[in-house]
Amino acid sequence: MATDTFCQIVNGELIAHEVWRDDEVVAFLDHRPVFKGHVLVIPTRHVDTLLDLPEELIQPLFTLARRIAAAMTPALGAEGTFVAMNNVVSQSVPHLHVHVVPRSKGDGLRGFFWPRTRYAAGEEAEHAARLRAALSAAAG
Ligand code: DGP
């Protein structure tokens, strides 16, 4: 049985400031927030990454992420949110978690990360074609 930090939060072995809990999902404050009120939404069942998320947990997980995002304006005065997930690379806890971060204009996050690149001629079409082919192959 997996015993990562977030399994411990699910099991009550580690205390977090929870904002929602039901049988399928838990949401709690990230203890090192990008901005105050930054929430992590996780499945109660141990799942490593998005690719491991069972079909029946997609709806509960992302519905809760959306509800948390919606609550950030009345609760925190946020003007918007940033919703993100690291999978394997930059993932510091091996238990799937969706970050829901409150945003406001001028909060300084823009440009702080996510540097953008540009496609050379033909590369954009080539990348789209490679992804279409992989999706078709996966669909059988
Ligand atoms: P990531 O780097 O995307 O894997 O994000 C993991 C986040 O989890 C990071 O922002 C800090 C947070 N975190 C790690 N350990 C704990 C913990 O024990 N309690 C809480 N509340 N948050 C944690």
Side-chain angles (χ1 to χ4, degrees), residues 43 45-47 49-60:
R45 187 190 312 176
H46 180 85
V47 170
T49 72
L50 181 62
L51 302 194
D52 307 304
L53 185 65
E55 198 76 24
E56 67 271 18
L57 288 180
I58 293 174
Q59 189 266 346

Side-chain angles (χ1 to χ4, degrees), residues 5-6 14 28-31 40 86 90-93 97 99:
T5 301
F6 293 169
L14 196 63
F28 54 93
L29 294 184
D30 188 310
H31 70 176
L40 300 173
N86 288 311
S90 295
Q91 182 180 1
S92 60
V93 180
H97 46 283
H99 294 261

Side-chain angles (χ1 to χ4, degrees), residues 62-75:
F62 288 99
T63 296
L64 181 57
R66 184 174 63 176
R67 290 181 59 213
I68 301 281
M72 288 195 164
T73 297

Side-chain angles (χ1 to χ4, degrees), residues 78-134:
E79 293 175 273
T81 56
F82 177 68
V83 178
M85 181 196 303
N86 288 311
N87 289 285
V88 182
V89 177
S90 295
Q91 182 180 1
S92 60
V93 180
H95 186 132
L96 171 62
H97 46 283
V98 181
H99 294 261
V100 185
V101 180
R103 296 289 319 272
S104 288
K105 287 175 189 142
D107 62 20
L109 194 61
R110 184 169 177 274
F112 170 64
F113 71 131
W114 261 31
R116 302 302 182 100
T117 189
R118 290 185 188 280
Y119 291 106
E123 275 187 340
E124 194 168 0
E126 180 203 322
H127 281 73
R130 282 159 54 176
L131 286 164
R132 279 195 300 271

